[in-house]
């Protein structure tokens, strides 16, 4: 597994839509080998990110709770905490 993809299962509070979208974007960019978006790649990336985010939301809803929360905090939470 790519170490840069954020673990969202077991977060307290639960992962937000923005965190799920950010993780989906990470995944799509990694798989697509994209360092940035262009007008040629944006439509395909947007479509793929929406599909991955939807699948991620469904997966997180169906998995049992974790006994131990993830060891790392998602980037959006770190940024919010650091900007307080």
């Amino acid at each position: 597994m790519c170490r840069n993809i954020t673990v969202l299962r077991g977060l307290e509070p639960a992962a937000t839509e923005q965190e799920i979208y950010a993780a989906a974007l990470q995944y799509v960019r990694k798989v697509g080998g994209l360092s940035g978006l262009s007008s040629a790649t944006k439509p395909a990336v947007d479509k793929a990110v929406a599909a991955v985010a939807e699948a991620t939301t469904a997966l997180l809803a169906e998995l049992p709770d974790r006994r131990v929360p993830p060891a790392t905090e998602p980037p959006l939470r770190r940024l919010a905490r650091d900007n307080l």
Side-chain angles (χ1 to χ4, degrees):
M1 181 169 97
C2 177
R3 291 182 292 172
N4 294 332
I5 302 297
T6 302
V7 175
L8 298 177
R9 180 174 165 232
L11 292 176
E12 286 298 329
T16 65
E17 285 183 33
Q18 293 83 9
E19 289 167 331
I20 292 170
Y21 176 87
L25 181 58
Q26 281 182 314
Y27 173 80
V28 169
R29 287 180 63 181
K30 180 70 171 188
V31 170
L34 303 167
S35 58
L37 299 179
S38 69
S39 59
T41 61
K42 187 170 180 0
V45 169
D46 288 346
K47 184 177 177 182
V49 168
V52 171
E54 184 178 331
T56 301
T57 300
L59 174 66
L60 292 174
E62 292 180 29
L63 289 174
D65 291 337
R66 286 179 67 144
R67 294 181 194 174
V68 178
T72 59
E73 190 176 33
L76 293 178
R77 292 187 188 190
R78 285 193 304 266
L79 290 171
R81 183 192 68 227
D82 292 345
N83 289 327
L84 290 179

